[in-house]
Amino acid sequence: TQLLEQSPQFLSIQEGENLTVYCNSSSVFSSLQWYRQEPGEGPVLLVTVVTGGEVKKLKRLTFQFGDARKDSSLHITAAQPGDTGLYLCAEGYGGSQGNLIFGKGTKLSVKP
Amino acid sequence: AAGVIQSPRHLIKEKRETATLKCYPIPRHDTVYWYQQGPGQDPQFLISFYEKMQSDKGSIPDRFSAQQFSDYHSELNMSSLELGDSALYFCASSLVGQGIYGYTFGSGTRLTVV
């Protein structure tokens, strides 16, 4: 089971700023999922990336999967207070059942 | 759209007591996963079920057991509770083989052991 490293661990920015968070592994991902979690709530799936070099956009969020499929990034443009939360990357493993291993997450705070 | 339903949302138990957490997956989802998330920690996989059979086991203590019923809902039974069991417990569901493309998580049960 590989270890997922996320950076930065904490990020505090002002509304309107841009930011990027990273997820890295020493091994190749089969697929990578990004989740956002608010305090006391379950993680909510944002996107799944599968193909090396893949870029997916979700409104102001841009997700990129590295060509070698060992890293991924999430870029948020013009951050808003509603973007505040814990951003988790996760990889599926365990065969067809697809159990997940999570990174430690990036805790984002966007101040008005 | 129907989501994953977990009950109860909050539970307070004393040490050495037992607790039962319930999970109702999205209709037609046949695979259920349980995760434990301690304070400030990432979710840790406990156990999963497919078609009422245990499909994989993670870091689930021997004091815990779980099962999936004929209507696909699942229950996590926790006995001899310890203070360290205080955590958020999440259930997620998917169709078999589709979990690697993303789960739908429930809102969780916050268990506090005092």
Side-chain angles (χ1 to χ4, degrees):
Chain A
T1 304
Q2 63 182 348
L3 186 66
L4 304 186
E5 294 184 358
Q6 290 191 244
S7 62
Q9 190 176 356
F10 299 97
L11 190 56
S12 181
I13 61 172
Q14 293 296 127
E15 183 176 2
E17 292 184 4
N18 301 331
L19 67 115
T20 303
V21 299
Y22 301 91
C23 177
N24 295 284
S25 171
S26 57
S27 304
V28 174
F29 293 117
S30 53
S31 67
L32 190 76
Q33 303 168 27
W34 283 95
Y35 290 83
R36 177 170 164 270
Q37 185 179 25
E38 296 190 26
E41 296 294 328
V44 176
L45 179 67
L46 297 174
V47 78
T48 300
V49 286
V50 178
T51 306
E54 185 175 6
V55 176
K56 284 191 174 180
K57 292 194 175 184
L58 188 66
K59 297 183 181 178
R60 294 176 294 101
L61 279 59
T62 301
F63 302 85
Q64 188 156 1
F65 202 16
D67 290 340
R69 293 165 56 206
K70 295 171 68 173
D71 59 275
S72 181
S73 63
L74 158 58
H75 181 80
I76 301 179
T77 302
Q80 299 176 0
D83 295 327
T84 294
L86 179 67
Y87 289 82
L88 294 159
C89 66
E91 189 205 10
Y93 76 100
S96 62
Q97 282 70 41
N99 304 323
L100 292 181
I101 182 168
F102 285 86
K104 298 295 183 188
T106 292
K107 195 167 185 179
L108 172 65
S109 174
V110 182
K111 301 185 188 315
Chain B
V4 176
I5 306 298
Q6 289 188 247
S7 66
R9 283 300 310 271
H10 302 274
L11 190 58
I12 299 175
K13 290 285 185 178
E14 294 188 356
K15 282 195 307 183
R16 292 179 289 277
E17 285 191 321
T18 61
T20 297
L21 280 54
K22 296 185 178 183
C23 168
Y24 296 85
I26 289 175
R28 300 186 183 180
H29 278 190
D30 49 19
T31 307
V32 169
Y33 314 81
W34 286 96
Y35 284 79
Q36 178 193 56
Q37 187 175 28
Q41 302 295 315
D42 55 294
Q44 296 291 316
F45 170 67
L46 293 177
I47 196 166
S48 60
F49 291 88
Y50 165 61
E51 283 291 342
K52 293 153 280 184
M53 298 289 290
Q54 180 183 307
S55 57
D56 202 357
K57 197 171 181 180
S59 52
I60 184 169
D62 292 340
R63 299 177 289 108
F64 294 5
S65 65
Q67 57 182 327
Q68 186 180 31
F69 295 85
S70 57
D71 64 351
Y72 295 104
H73 94 272
S74 179
E75 294 183 2
L76 178 65
N77 299 293
M78 310 159 73
S79 62
S80 303
L81 287 169
E82 301 173 356
L83 295 178
D85 296 329
S86 295
L88 277 166
Y89 290 84
F90 293 108
C91 169
S93 73
S94 74
L95 286 168
V96 66
Q98 301 301 305
I100 60 171
Y101 300 111
Y103 291 175
T104 300
F105 281 87
S107 296
T109 294
R110 180 178 291 280
L111 173 66
T112 303
V113 181
V114 298

